Amino acid sequence: MRKLTRPLLFLLACLVWAACSSTKSLKPGQILYTGADVKINPDSSGKIDNEKQVKTDLEAKTRPRPNKSILGIKYKLGIYNLAGQPKKPKGFRNWLRRQGEAPVLLSEVKLKYNNDVLSSYLISEGYLQANVSGDTVVKGKKGKAIYTAVTGQRYKINKINFPPDTGALTKIINANKDKTLLKVGDYYDIDTYKNERIRIDNDLKENGYFYFSPDYLIMQVDSTIGKNLVNVSVKVKDIAPDAGLKPYTIKNINIYPNYSLRRDSTLRKLKPLQYNDFNIYEDRNTFKPRLFDRLVFFQKGEPYNRKDHNQSLNRMVNVGAFQDVRAEFLPVDSFKNNQLDLNIYLTPLKKNSLTFSVVGTSKSNNFVGSEVKVTQTTRNLFRNAEQLDLSVSGGFETQTKGTSLGKNSLSLTAEGKLTFPRFIVPFYKPNSTNAFIPKTIASLSYQMLNRGSEYTLHAVKGQYGYNFKENLYKEHNFNPISISYVSTSFPDTNTRDSLYTANPLLRTTLENQFIIGSNYNFTYTNQMEDSRRNNIYFFGGLETGGNVWGLFTAKNNEGKRTIFNIPLTQFIRAEADLRDYYKITKNLIWANRLNLGYGYAYGNSTSLPFVRQFFAGGSNDIRAFPARTLGPGTFKVKEDAIFADQGGDIKLMLNSELRFKIVSVLYGALFVDAGNIWLRKEDLGVPGIPDSGRPGSGFKLKNAFNELAVGTGAGLRVDVSIFVVRLDVAFPVRKPYLPEGQRWVFDDIAFGNKDWRKQNLIFNIGIGYPF
């Protein structure tokens, strides 16, 4: 560790020195530009509203921007200076220089341009008498620009006038004027005026005015009425073309389901198939005509409206059957009447495709390995845009360190999934008009997990359910039928008995069992809105097992409800995952997560089945602890345990991570993780078997926070948008299994101690962000 630390410290010192010597590469007469300072009404005692934010906004609009800095250190300029002038056209110094920034010079500052930009911005915010003047100040080899803004009083809206009701178009504008964004008493704001024009345009588009544009509207502002007030008049421009001032209806709806430029002339000569309101130009019978009832919302003779337009495009794109979708609205008879022909051009995706992927894995539970997956996709299986995915994957992992060196894990998974782009509900035909395609999904899978010389787990799962996006932010998944059969085989009875003796809980965890139930998941996210300062992700899930089937199954001699003499698992499981991403700056994000889980086993079951339990530790969880070794509660699994996976019925996890850009696609992170798992009731073990229980494993609300594990660390991420490779290193600062009063271990941290590093440093390699 010391051998690695010294070169890194030396490199960091060189970078800081180069950054601090920011003017050393300047030529005689050159002045380094250090930024802009805006002074608002310096000769007046009056303050404007939100002055600090206005000052920040004005400074951000000045150009050029100074060299980037962190804590006052111009690190990119430091990299540029550190690289020097390369003597060769290629090589490390050229690459290093490209990662930096050349010095930004004071001579690049255009004062008049910036004066105009800042004045224009203030006027757009309602300071109609604003004036900005700029000057430069030089000290040594550094200089900055100082801008003085005299704002005057900010104007407010006194009255809003809409155009008189003289026809169909102005009638629509007036009918919706109660929704106006312009409010009496609000400040003059040019952005609000622009948005008001867009609002009126949307209202007109919903009523057939296909060729109307926001540019055909003008907001006339009268600022001469005095008292820093303005009257705003909304008017339709006299130069607006006739085509934009009349509503249009749909005449013909022509669909080309198998379109390509090469076949364009051939398709247009075909006699169309008449189906409801559609003319379908198709000679290969690729899709059933009724598919377009669910994809196209327009009807012949109805007025054009933007909602139907957007919903139709969204459905045709999201159905997953077409690689290209295009809708064309053409006026009939060159604008002489008020009718449009709608032509829809659809280019199907290839019917069959084969994908192959190889993934490398390295985990905190000391297993490394890889997984290979092959997926065969067949589209439009029954000519209704259905999709069949058949996949086979296999993975191999081997333990590289720890007390059980040499353990291997082999997995094999086969899955078939059939997706219908509609709801299929017995005895009911739902009619969805949402822009997103509702889906019915039926799947069947088999997984084999071989844990070397310990056991082999076999799981067969069948599921039938629905996926539905309520809107861009909300998604629902409901599987009314979910059936799993889990069985376990052992190399021999001696191996099985030794496992059960070492951990009696495994007898109920690994025994053959049926899991029959339902599950529902809800997801909300606004992460697609990059303009938001704060983004949120929420996942909530509820799963039941054996609730309904338990009412109809008989009990065996042991009092357990069975199906084909196999115990039926009965439980309720709930989980919630809330994440918040706060953008401090463009390249500095504070990410937080709260993850809660609760499971209740009853009837046949004394604990959740192994595949439904909660676990703690690992690369996406509490990173300072190896995967599945933390908890439950204050219990600590023995180092030489044959079976180390520790599951629980209750989970609480909190993560906080500060993410920042270092250079190019390289990002860094500092994080703190806290959490644990618990059993609903403490595991007292099996009577007569010493050390078979797990003391401290039970959940008590008053003790929960005192039993949290806490870890911290740092990480690097290579983020190239399409994938993220992550390396995290973490260490514990609170160990819940230690005696009370000794659980915080800050005093024990010793990075220079080899034994401490071996026992406490956990390295995680992952694909994607942890949350």
Side-chain angles (χ1 to χ4, degrees), residues 260-278:
S260 67
L261 287 175
R262 182 178 57 84
R263 302 185 67 229
D264 180 88
S265 58
T266 301
L267 292 172
R268 293 181 187 276
K269 294 176 182 177
L270 294 175
K271 182 179 180 180
L273 170 66
Q274 301 289 331
Y275 176 78
N276 292 340
D277 286 343
F278 308 140

Side-chain angles (χ1 to χ4, degrees), residues 368-420:
V368 298
S370 62
E371 182 182 68
V372 177
K373 184 174 183 178
V374 179
T375 303
Q376 161 67 36
T377 299
T378 302
R379 300 178 182 86
N380 198 32
L381 187 64
F382 305 120
R383 296 173 46 229
N384 264 313
E386 302 86 357
Q387 180 170 308
L388 175 65
D389 295 298
L390 301 175
S391 64
V392 178
S393 61
F396 175 80
E397 296 177 337
T398 184
Q399 193 163 12
T400 58
K401 62 178 181 179
T403 56
S404 301
L405 182 65
K407 281 188 179 181
N408 295 326
S409 176
L410 177 66
S411 66
L412 177 65
T413 304
E415 181 181 25
K417 183 173 70 173
L418 180 58
T419 303
F420 300 88

Side-chain angles (χ1 to χ4, degrees), residues 579-635:
R579 307 175 188 182
D580 180 84
Y581 306 89
Y582 182 74
K583 297 175 184 175
I584 301 173
T585 66
K586 180 181 179 181
N587 293 317
L588 183 62
I589 298 175
W590 186 22
N592 294 278
R593 172 172 65 173
L594 171 64
N595 183 210
L596 301 172
Y598 183 85
Y600 178 79
Y602 67 96
N604 270 7
S605 306
T606 57
S607 65
L608 292 177
F610 181 72
V611 292
R612 297 294 191 274
Q613 289 178 344
F614 299 103
F615 300 91
S619 61
N620 296 321
D621 203 280
I622 304 168
R623 286 161 279 186
F625 295 84
R628 299 192 173 202
T629 61
L630 180 61
T634 59
F635 175 76

Side-chain angles (χ1 to χ4, degrees), residues 106 108 295 477 579:
L106 187 63
E108 300 175 38
L295 301 184
N477 283 282
R579 307 175 188 182

Side-chain angles (χ1 to χ4, degrees), residues 115-358:
N115 291 342
D116 293 341
V117 169
L118 301 190
S119 296
S120 177
Y121 174 75
L122 287 171
I123 292 171
S124 72
E125 291 292 304
Y127 300 98
L128 301 184
Q129 298 176 354
N131 180 61
V132 179
S133 59
D135 201 354
T136 57
V137 175
V138 178
K139 187 175 181 180
K141 290 188 175 183
K142 296 181 180 179
K144 64 179 180 179
I146 297 179
Y147 299 92
T148 301
V150 179
T151 62
Q153 292 295 316
R154 194 175 186 185
Y155 283 67
K156 292 183 177 181
I157 297 176
N158 175 64
K159 185 179 180 181
I160 305 134
N161 300 310
F162 284 90
D165 189 355
T166 57
L169 184 146
T170 52
K171 183 177 181 180
I172 294 170
I173 295 176
N174 279 277
N176 294 284
K177 66 182 181 182
D178 59 320
K179 301 175 185 176
T180 181
L181 305 177
L182 306 175
K183 307 294 182 183
V184 172
D186 283 1
Y187 286 117
Y188 174 106
D189 185 349
I190 199 168
D191 285 338
T192 303
Y193 299 160
K194 291 178 180 177
N195 291 332
E196 174 67 3
R197 295 199 308 169
I198 293 172
R199 183 196 67 81
I200 295 173
D201 177 64
N202 284 333
D203 287 340
L204 293 171
K205 288 290 196 301
E206 288 300 313
N207 287 273
Y209 289 82
F210 179 78
Y211 289 104
F212 194 84
S213 167
D215 293 335
Y216 300 160
L217 292 169
I218 186 172
M219 303 290 176
Q220 293 181 337
V221 178
D222 182 5
S223 61
T224 64
I225 61 176
K227 298 182 181 180
N228 302 113
L229 297 173
V230 297
N231 289 336
V232 181
S233 298
V234 181
K235 291 187 176 182
V236 179
K237 291 180 180 179
D238 295 333
I239 60 172
D242 292 340
L245 303 180
K246 61 182 180 181
Y248 285 80
T249 58
I250 303 299
K251 182 178 182 182
N252 296 306
I253 303 174
N254 305 313
I255 301 176
Y256 299 82
N258 206 338
Y259 181 81
S260 67
L261 287 175
R262 182 178 57 84
R263 302 185 67 229
D264 180 88
S265 58
T266 301
L267 292 172
R268 293 181 187 276
K269 294 176 182 177
L270 294 175
K271 182 179 180 180
L273 170 66
Q274 301 289 331
Y275 176 78
N276 292 340
D277 286 343
F278 308 140
N279 303 319
I280 302 175
Y281 291 81
E282 166 71 297
D283 58 354
R284 297 180 179 178
N285 202 23
T286 308
F287 297 94
K288 292 181 179 179
R290 66 182 183 183
L291 170 66
F292 303 107
D293 284 334
R294 300 192 301 272
L295 301 184
V296 181
F297 289 86
F298 284 106
Q299 295 180 352
K300 292 179 66 173
E302 73 169 3
Y304 166 86
N305 72 85
R306 179 173 280 174
K307 182 179 179 181
D308 285 350
H309 188 168
N310 291 336
Q311 287 188 338
S312 298
L313 287 177
N314 284 336
R315 284 218 163 185
M316 288 184 283
V317 169
N318 293 324
V319 74
F322 306 106
Q323 66 177 355
D324 185 61
V325 173
R326 184 161 57 94
E328 177 185 64
F329 292 87
L330 295 177
V332 177
D333 200 14
S334 301
F335 300 109
K336 291 183 180 180
N337 58 28
N338 62 342
Q339 292 181 313
L340 296 171
D341 279 344
L342 169 57
N343 297 323
I344 298 174
Y345 304 100
L346 304 170
T347 304
L349 288 162
K350 290 184 178 179
K351 188 173 183 63
N352 293 286
S353 64
L354 188 69
T355 57
F356 176 81
S357 62
V358 179

Side-chain angles (χ1 to χ4, degrees), residues 537-552:
Y537 169 90
F538 173 77
F539 169 85
L542 178 65
E543 181 178 7
T544 63
N547 301 70
V548 176
W549 283 83
L551 301 175
F552 301 100

Side-chain angles (χ1 to χ4, degrees), residues 414-469:
E415 181 181 25
K417 183 173 70 173
L418 180 58
T419 303
F420 300 88
R422 60 189 183 279
F423 282 139
I424 301 177
V425 183
F427 313 113
Y428 176 62
K429 291 185 177 181
N431 182 24
S432 170
T433 58
N434 189 282
F436 298 94
I437 293 284
K439 297 177 181 178
T440 301
I441 303 172
S443 64
L444 180 65
S445 65
Y446 164 78
Q447 182 178 40
M448 181 271 289
L449 177 65
N450 181 280
R451 290 295 296 268
S453 59
E454 295 175 359
Y455 65 90
T456 300
L457 193 71
H458 305 270
V460 179
K461 182 178 182 179
Q463 194 163 261
Y464 181 90
Y466 310 100
N467 172 269
F468 174 65
K469 290 197 72 172

